[in-house]
Amino acid sequence: MAQRAGPGIPLAGGSASGVRGDGVPPGEGRAVPPGHTSDSEAGILQVPVLRDEVDDLVTAWRAQRPDLDVEPMQVLSRISRLARHLDLARRGAFADHGLETWGFDVLSALRRQGPPFQLTPGALLRATLVTSGTMTNRIDRLAAAGLVRREPDPRDKRGVLVTLTEQGLARADAALADLLRRERALLAGLDRAERQQLADLMRILLAPFDGAE
């Protein structure tokens, strides 16, 4: 993915106004002394280079531990840092709608089922990867808030179904819309093609772990 200069940042040998650094408008030639080229090394070095804290981290480790290959940090340290920003975005989106992350996880698992928006407690366990005791507590708290309700399971006389209420449906939909708005903001530096390329690469990394679960 190519690195882009920020708005108003001149590229090598030019300026944000379209006039070259030597005052000659683009397209107009100038005399070049013998032994020189118009694209000088100095001009090339003026191209803005995007750097972040991970670059500084990797540079420092390479200097201190030249015996180690620190290349994985280039990818995984950035994933780790981005995950922190995503966690803040998720918490903020859910909090604005009176939810915690775990609450949205349960409501969204039910919402994704489509009408009548219900699952067994066991299916919710598998969808959210928590223990039985934890799920029971979460269902109790969401039911007390009027976001879900327990109903008898017609296929199992001893079983129950957890169903999303109208209030729970509205809350889940509103929180999801807010979350997606914040996630789009996190990806604003990438165009559509770059987002798709990144998604494809991340899928390659994650697929082996998903298959092992």
Side-chain angles (χ1 to χ4, degrees):
M1 291 178 281
Q3 295 177 346
R4 297 192 284 277
I9 298 177
L11 296 179
S15 70
S17 62
V19 177
R20 291 203 309 249
D22 57 3
V24 180
E28 295 187 16
R30 64 171 181 172
V32 179
H36 292 74
T37 63
S38 57
D39 292 329
S40 67
E41 182 178 350
I44 294 174
L45 293 177
Q46 292 175 10
V47 177
V49 176
L50 186 63
R51 287 185 64 86
D52 61 12
E53 292 181 356
V54 174
D55 288 313
D56 297 334
L57 179 73
V58 170
T59 297
W61 276 122
R62 280 176 172 161
Q64 296 301 316
R65 291 300 307 272
D67 56 311
L68 295 178
D69 178 12
V70 296
E71 189 68 21
M73 289 183 180
Q74 294 275 18
V75 175
L76 299 179
S77 289
R78 289 186 170 93
I79 290 176
S80 176
R81 288 168 185 249
L82 185 59
R84 297 180 209 167
H85 293 289
L86 176 59
D87 183 58
L88 290 173
R90 287 172 59 86
R91 290 175 184 270
F94 303 152
D96 284 351
H97 299 277
L99 295 171
E100 296 182 52
T101 300
W102 64 262
F104 178 79
D105 288 345
V106 175
L107 297 183
S108 62
L110 295 169
R111 179 66 177 90
R112 290 194 301 270
Q113 299 307 304
F117 309 111
Q118 57 186 200
L119 286 170
T120 64
L124 279 173
L125 286 177
R126 292 187 292 274
T128 57
L129 303 176
V130 298
T131 65
S132 177
T134 297
M135 179 54 65
T136 297
N137 177 265
R138 292 180 175 181
I139 293 172
D140 288 344
R141 293 174 64 180
L142 292 172
L147 302 178
V148 303
R149 63 175 178 269
R150 289 183 173 92
E151 298 178 349
D153 187 344
R155 297 166 298 181
D156 183 355
K157 293 182 179 180
R158 296 180 298 176
V160 298
L161 292 171
V162 180
T163 304
L164 201 60
T165 65
E166 289 186 9
Q167 182 182 353
L169 175 62
R171 193 83 63 90
D173 282 350
L176 176 61
D178 195 356
L179 173 62
L180 290 172
R181 177 181 62 81
R182 296 174 190 236
E183 289 184 341
R184 280 192 293 271
L186 288 175
L187 295 171
L190 304 177
D191 62 29
R192 181 181 294 274
E194 290 168 334
R195 292 195 299 271
Q196 185 59 59
Q197 182 183 7
L198 180 59
D200 291 341
L201 293 172
M202 295 297 293
R203 185 182 301 109
I204 293 172
L205 285 178
L206 282 173
F209 297 98
D210 290 344
E213 291 179 355

